[in-house]
Amino acid sequence: MRRYFPLIVCAFAIASGFVAPAVEPEVRPKAEASGLHAHETHASASLLGQFRTSITSWLWLRTDLYLHNGVEMRPLTDQELEVGQQGVTSAESLHKEGLTVVPAAERDFRGTLGDIERATRAYKNMEGHSHSSPLMALPLYRLMTWIEPTFEEGWRTGGAVLAMGTDPHQHELAIDFLMEGLKANPKSLMILNQIGFTLAVKKKDYGKAIPIFEQARNIGLHTKVMNEADQESFRDVYRWLTLLYRETNQPEKQQMVATEGLKIFPDDVVLSKSGEAQMPTHKDEEDHHDHDH
Amino acid sequence: MNKILIWRALARGVLLESIRRKDLWVVAILGFIIVCSAGALGFFGMSGLESFAKDLAASVLGGFSTILAIVTTGRLMPEETKNRTLYPLVARPISRFDLLFGKFLGGVAVAWISFLILCALTALALSIFGVKMEPIMLQYVMLKMMGLVVVCAVSLMLSTLMTPSAAVTMSFVILFGSSMLSRGLLMAFSTADPGVAPFYRVINGVLPQVSLFDIGGRAANTNWRLVPLWVIGALATYMVLYSAAMLSLSWAKFRRQAL
Amino acid sequence: MNGLRLPSNCADTDDGMKCAIEVNNLCVSYRGKDGRSIQAVQNLSFSVGQGEVVGFLGPNGAGKSSTLKSMMGFVQPKSGECLVFGEPSWSESSRSRIGYLPEVAMYYPHLNPLETLTLYGELQGLRGQRLYTQAMDLLNLVGLGKSTRTLNRQLSKGMLQRVGIAQSLLGSPDLLVLDEVTSGLDPIGRQELREIMLDMRRHGTTIFFSSHELAEVEMLCDRILIIDQGKLVDEKHVGNLKSNLRKFSLCYLGAPQSEGALTNSTTGITTARFDSKPELIEAIAQVQSAGLEVLDVVTEEGSLEQYFIEAIQEAA
């Protein structure tokens, strides 16, 4: 009998495994839905989410760095802004010059050590600087949206970078990329706006672009709280819709959307002049890209 | 007696202990992580990710090798005292400076070997994905090795003043924090009175300028020129002077320390 | 005895023996956990002649290790001096002539005995084949010939002590300073160590060691120094000490003939005790002249342990 004892124990263990689901409701009653997401109720999910967000933010910053060929830029400090406002030093001019983390020799107290740093770190005078081709950063956008699919900015910028130039195949790829982003963020005004822009401006397919912007308009109208970026996108949605309705000779709809938009954004000059607005020229298109970046 | 032979014997002892203690296994595991990470990058296609891959490699190499150097050197002297292996050493006809310097050289040797192993594994991983190696990479390796000497000196100095864990923690704070503090000083200086420059210079001079030895930013991005020779010479001088200052501080504490 | 300069066996003394160790008014103090200064050694003075074997005895916390550490330059004395072969103990040249075995010695756990000895030998100035041969000879001498490639961490405490003994003998030192030399050794190890020390002694090596094994001390030493609470309380040549510790008893039938003699009222036998032989001979003569019958003469060998305890109690 003793020889078979381990076998009996194993059999009991396996049997209890089968019985467990039957008794589970008794020992662990089903929790009522709290309406919270997994990351709000599970520490591990929250931790993983934090990790993903941090990695994505880091990648976002690195992308910016690569676009400047490794030269680290920095914004003005509060103190510098304050000094600028007081007019003691032209802080604004500092900004225009392209303020780098490693300072220029005239703003460096370190002497030789500063010269050494300018020779060893990726440093150059960034006054009127240009950027490296955003195409080189494309895999990074892919990487960051893979790690954090809810990172709308990554989808939007990645889509914009893909759609650069005049290659129709690239435009298709951009649409596919953005659609993938939309699947992960079905209520994203930012992504819808970018899809609509690509369809309207790059593919000149106004018929497909209008429903996308309408979808965005509908989402926006039902969204109670919006952050600054979403508000900006929502405003763009109205601008594009008025322009597209005008281009497709639908003056009533154009008027209606413009009026609705002006109720939400009363100071918007584009909307107020929407009746007279033209489709954007090539230059406007580039401006839009710059704005995106 | 030939001092070089004494230092070599002590350094060899440190290296042999480190190898036998399987410290280098940590390096191998880290190397494996690097290779796996490179594999993950390959999943997204390396085309266009060269800068990122090189930047990541430089950051990981820099971080891991600094951590290894701190942990190895920071433990050297306190563990000798704690494990009582110090007595048979100091009973020999060698000065306490010889002992410190020999141990320091051993720490540097361990840090360099670990770094070079990591470099080789990283280079292998990057080359599998077709990332081109440029001459500036060699400069990166050379300067980083010089920087590790400063790291070891700071860590050894702190280890003669405090317990091993405190020394390691303080080394991390000082070595990683000094570059942030330097940045802070530079930003503060942009709006400060020019008269305070000497004061700022003194604070900055005291801090170990390990970040100066890191040319990862240049190596990772494109079209950066090689670091000029005068800069390498200046950094070598800085390395010697700063390490000598750190060792002098260690010696000042250790030479009369009751064992 | 505090601060007393004992008759030296060396350095311009009558017998012309040169000094291996000279300790003059040595004071060593430590800072205690509460921040107060603790006097470990107070005005200690003694000397050890070349070729002598001297045992340094004292209870726990007496200041033996502090004295040895000061002699080795591990601790800076508060005042006084330690000279080894006429040079300050902290100097490299004096240490090149010393072999030292610490009280609790640990050796690098990831090196083997041969590598350990090679490392210390190189620091001692030995090189190449000479070093290898000497290291192997010493490891064979201490009985580790078969464990030269076994890592130190795999060795027993006793075997590690043997590694310690071997390393202290590297470079054929003129002076051996051994702190608690037999600790951790089994009886066979002790016997072997005793033989090594006797051999070293025959070759003229000066040996200065602290130990709690008084039998060991008795067998090996020419002289003992007893220290308590940081002060030297006694110093004796072991040869003289043995004769001093010897006691004699005389038993005879009849009334007591000397002061202190005790008579058993039942048997009528009187027993008298004497510290020296002349006293005994005189007493026998006295008894015989009184016409009494001498029944027995007993010689009792005194123990160093008893002497040590008495010396410490007297000092206290």
Side-chain angles (χ1 to χ4, degrees):
Chain A
M1 181 64 189
R2 192 170 282 183
R3 277 176 65 189
Y4 298 108
F5 189 70
L7 279 176
I8 294 167
V9 170
C10 285
F12 266 107
I14 293 165
S16 61
F18 282 107
V19 176
V23 294
E24 196 192 0
E26 293 301 319
V27 294
R28 194 167 59 186
K30 202 173 179 183
E32 281 182 26
S34 61
L36 297 173
H37 293 290
H39 69 269
E40 290 167 303
T41 54
H42 290 84
S44 56
S46 173
L47 197 65
L48 184 66
Q50 296 274 354
F51 177 72
R52 279 158 45 160
T53 309
S54 303
I55 292 276
T56 308
S57 306
W58 180 74
L59 283 172
W60 182 252
L61 291 173
R62 294 321 274 183
T63 309
D64 187 62
L65 194 64
Y66 304 140
L67 292 176
H68 291 109
N69 201 24
V71 182
E72 225 173 321
M73 310 279 289
R74 73 170 175 89
L76 285 168
T77 60
D78 289 347
Q79 212 178 357
E80 284 167 336
L81 282 169
E82 202 178 304
V83 171
Q85 277 165 5
Q86 286 167 0
V88 178
T89 300
S90 173
E92 245 177 61
S93 72
L94 292 178
H95 183 65
K96 278 179 191 164
E97 280 174 24
L99 208 51
T100 49
V101 168
V102 179
E106 60 272 18
R107 280 197 290 275
D108 196 340
F109 64 85
R110 296 174 299 168
T112 311
L113 285 178
D115 292 337
I116 292 173
E117 185 166 40
R118 279 181 286 281
T120 55
R121 302 296 288 264
Y123 168 81
K124 65 180 173 187
N125 185 358
M126 295 298 274
E127 196 178 347
H129 65 272
S130 59
H131 295 121
S132 308
S133 165
L135 282 172
M136 67 166 288
L138 193 58
L140 284 174
Y141 294 117
R142 171 53 83 179
L143 190 60
M144 63 182 92
T145 51
W146 181 75
I147 293 170
E148 177 60 290
T150 60
F151 185 48
E152 297 171 41
E153 191 73 47
W155 290 110
R156 200 268 298 261
T157 315
V161 169
L162 266 173
M164 279 170 69
T166 53
D167 183 357
H169 177 65
Q170 283 293 114
H171 301 156
E172 283 299 331
L173 286 178
I175 298 285
D176 289 347
F177 180 77
L178 289 164
M179 282 298 184
E180 203 182 317
L182 189 63
K183 209 181 280 177
N185 307 276
K187 291 185 176 176
S188 169
L189 294 178
M190 204 182 270
I191 297 172
L192 282 167
N193 196 26
Q194 188 62 36
I195 296 171
F197 168 81
T198 313
L199 288 168
V201 178
K202 296 290 178 180
K203 299 189 67 149
K204 309 283 180 204
D205 191 344
Y206 304 151
K208 279 188 183 167
I210 288 172
I212 294 289
F213 282 122
E214 280 294 351
Q215 187 185 338
R217 182 179 143 234
N218 193 33
I219 289 167
L221 286 171
H222 289 93
T223 306
K224 284 174 186 161
V225 184
M226 253 185 230
N227 60 26
E228 208 177 316
D230 281 341
Q231 278 182 11
E232 195 63 38
S233 300
F234 196 34
R235 184 200 298 259
D236 282 346
V237 166
Y238 279 105
R239 287 173 176 178
W240 281 112
L241 272 176
T242 50
L243 288 170
L244 288 172
Y245 282 132
R246 182 188 160 177
E247 290 302 307
T248 51
N249 291 319
Q250 300 180 72
E252 296 84 11
K253 280 190 177 174
Q254 178 193 352
Q255 193 57 47
M256 186 270 286
V257 168
T259 313
E260 189 182 294
L262 277 169
K263 274 185 197 156
I264 303 166
F265 306 104
D267 300 330
D268 195 273
V269 185
V270 180
L271 285 176
S272 62
K273 291 183 180 174
S274 61
E276 300 139 42
Q278 300 291 318
M279 278 305 286
T281 60
H282 183 69
K283 189 178 177 304
D284 294 334
E285 193 181 309
E286 293 305 316
D287 286 349
H288 186 91
H289 270 294
D290 280 352
H291 177 71
D292 283 350
H293 288 300
Chain B
M1 212 190 306
N2 192 336
K3 295 279 183 195
I4 293 171
L5 293 177
I6 290 172
W7 298 334
R8 196 186 67 179
L10 286 164
R12 203 179 46 214
V14 173
L15 189 60
L16 205 55
E17 267 276 300
S18 181
I19 292 169
R20 297 265 172 82
R21 205 168 43 206
K22 298 188 172 59
D23 284 358
L24 293 180
W25 277 104
V26 178
V27 179
I29 292 166
L30 295 180
F32 180 72
I33 294 170
I34 292 173
V35 174
C36 289
S37 310
L41 281 181
F43 173 75
F44 295 97
M46 261 334 229
S47 168
L49 273 180
E50 281 88 353
S51 288
F52 177 64
K54 284 192 280 185
D55 183 29
L56 194 64
S59 305
V60 170
L61 277 178
F64 283 169
S65 56
T66 306
I67 291 167
L68 281 168
I70 289 173
V71 172
T72 307
T73 326
R75 288 188 318 194
L76 281 178
M77 294 309 294
E79 281 201 351
E80 290 278 353
T81 317
K82 191 179 127 205
N83 298 338
R84 294 168 182 265
T85 46
L86 192 63
Y87 295 121
L89 281 182
V90 285
R92 304 286 147 194
I94 59 169
S95 69
R96 290 201 183 180
F97 176 78
D98 290 335
L99 179 60
L100 261 182
F101 193 66
K103 290 279 169 191
F104 167 70
L105 290 182
V108 169
V110 172
W112 278 5
I113 289 173
S114 310
F115 176 66
L116 289 174
I117 291 172
L118 284 176
C119 278
L121 288 169
T122 311
L124 178 76
L126 291 180
S127 63
I128 288 170
F129 298 109
V131 176
K132 246 195 319 189
M133 295 293 150
E134 289 149 357
I136 198 165
M137 300 275 203
L138 284 178
Q139 277 197 334
Y140 166 79
V141 172
M142 188 180 72
L143 287 172
K144 192 76 203 167
M145 285 169 77
M146 283 160 63
L148 286 174
V149 176
V150 178
V151 171
C152 289
V154 171
S155 194
L156 185 77
M157 188 276 286
L158 289 169
S159 74
T160 52
L161 299 178
M162 46 190 87
T163 61
S165 47
V168 167
T169 311
M170 279 307 290
S171 301
F172 280 126
V173 170
I174 290 175
L175 290 163
F176 287 105
S178 62
S179 106
M180 277 194 270
L181 190 54
S182 270
R183 292 275 164 271
L185 285 175
L186 284 167
M187 282 162 82
F189 183 72
S190 67
T191 52
D193 189 299
V196 299
F199 175 66
Y200 278 33
R201 214 170 283 153
V202 169
I203 298 176
N204 191 62
V206 171
L207 297 172
Q209 306 287 325
V210 184
S211 62
L212 295 183
F213 294 89
D214 186 358
I215 60 165
R218 281 179 169 242
N221 290 283
T222 48
N223 299 326
W224 285 101
R225 276 180 301 166
L226 289 172
V227 174
L229 272 180
W230 77 264
V231 174
I232 294 174
L235 282 171
T237 312
Y238 178 83
M239 172 195 77
V240 171
L241 292 178
Y242 201 86
S243 302
M246 291 295 111
L247 285 174
S248 302
L249 284 173
S250 306
W251 180 64
K253 173 73 173 66
F254 185 58
R255 64 193 284 248
R256 291 190 178 277
Q257 191 176 314
L259 303 174
Chain C
M1 286 269 185
N2 186 16
L4 175 71
R5 183 62 192 265
L6 289 161
S8 176
N9 279 39
C10 60
D12 312 322
T13 54
D14 299 342
D15 53 9
M17 192 187 279
K18 289 205 172 164
C19 251
I21 302 169
E22 212 176 343
V23 173
N24 296 318
N25 299 316
L26 184 75
C27 289
V28 180
S29 61
Y30 295 104
R31 199 158 290 280
K33 281 180 181 170
D34 55 357
R36 282 194 296 179
S37 178
I38 298 165
Q39 287 279 340
V41 179
Q42 299 175 44
N43 284 329
L44 184 67
S45 296
F46 66 86
S47 54
V48 176
Q50 288 188 18
E52 260 198 299
V53 178
V54 175
F56 196 43
L57 310 181
N60 289 332
K64 299 189 299 290
S65 287
S66 296
T67 308
L68 294 188
K69 281 181 178 179
S70 189
M71 277 171 55
M72 294 305 298
F74 299 165
V75 176
Q76 202 78 15
K78 192 178 166 193
S79 62
E81 62 173 0
C82 267
L83 300 176
V84 175
F85 297 109
E87 290 184 77
S89 59
W90 45 262
S91 72
E92 287 172 39
S93 55
S94 74
R95 261 182 288 143
S96 67
R97 299 176 69 181
I98 307 176
Y100 173 67
L101 177 71
E103 182 182 357
V104 185
M106 292 299 291
Y107 301 94
Y108 296 109
H110 295 92
L111 301 189
N112 61 41
L114 183 59
E115 286 163 347
T116 308
L117 260 63
T118 306
L119 168 65
Y120 295 136
E122 284 182 338
L123 300 181
Q124 194 81 28
L126 302 168
R127 298 280 175 269
Q129 188 60 36
R130 191 177 149 224
L131 169 59
Y132 177 78
T133 311
Q134 197 173 120
M136 286 304 288
D137 288 349
L138 285 172
L139 288 172
N140 284 322
L141 182 72
V142 297
L144 289 175
K146 287 178 182 169
S147 310
T148 55
R149 309 271 174 189
T150 311
L151 292 184
N152 288 340
R153 67 188 175 127
Q154 292 163 336
L155 298 178
S156 67
K157 193 182 167 194
M159 288 167 106
L160 273 179
Q161 186 72 348
R162 287 163 191 255
V163 175
I165 293 161
Q167 67 81 27
S168 69
L169 298 174
L170 271 168
S172 310
D174 297 323
L175 167 65
L176 266 179
V177 177
L178 312 170
D179 198 353
E180 300 298 346
V181 61
T182 49
S183 73
L185 288 180
D186 56 21
I188 298 167
R190 285 179 194 189
Q191 168 67 24
E192 285 171 359
L193 176 64
R194 206 178 302 136
E195 277 166 21
I196 292 168
M197 286 171 76
L198 287 170
D199 192 47
M200 297 290 287
R201 181 189 179 175
R202 272 194 293 276
H203 285 89
T205 306
T206 312
I207 303 174
F208 185 76
F209 70 99
S210 74
S211 178
H212 284 120
E213 296 294 329
L214 298 181
E216 209 79 48
V217 173
E218 214 170 338
M219 270 187 264
L220 291 167
C221 289
D222 297 324
R223 201 150 57 96
I224 56 162
L225 301 172
I226 299 178
I227 183 177
D228 186 36
Q229 294 178 5
K231 298 170 193 167
L232 193 64
V233 296
D234 206 355
E235 183 266 358
K236 282 277 187 298
H237 279 270
V238 172
N240 294 343
L241 182 65
K242 278 185 179 168
S243 60
N244 285 349
L245 292 175
R246 198 172 294 142
K247 305 277 183 210
F248 304 94
S249 299
L250 175 66
C251 303
Y252 54 91
L253 205 59
Q257 297 296 307
S258 58
E259 211 180 304
L262 295 169
T263 306
N264 187 322
S265 56
T266 318
T267 58
I269 296 172
T270 301
T271 307
R273 293 171 73 88
F274 304 98
D275 288 341
S276 64
K277 218 169 191 174
E279 283 177 34
L280 172 74
I281 292 165
E282 197 185 324
I284 291 171
Q286 215 173 341
V287 167
Q288 284 174 338
S289 65
L292 302 174
E293 188 189 349
V294 174
L295 298 174
D296 200 2
V297 176
V298 180
T299 307
E300 296 167 23
E301 295 293 337
S303 75
L304 180 59
E305 192 169 306
Q306 187 59 34
Y307 175 75
F308 174 75
I309 292 167
E310 281 170 10
I312 296 296
Q313 281 171 347
E314 196 179 311

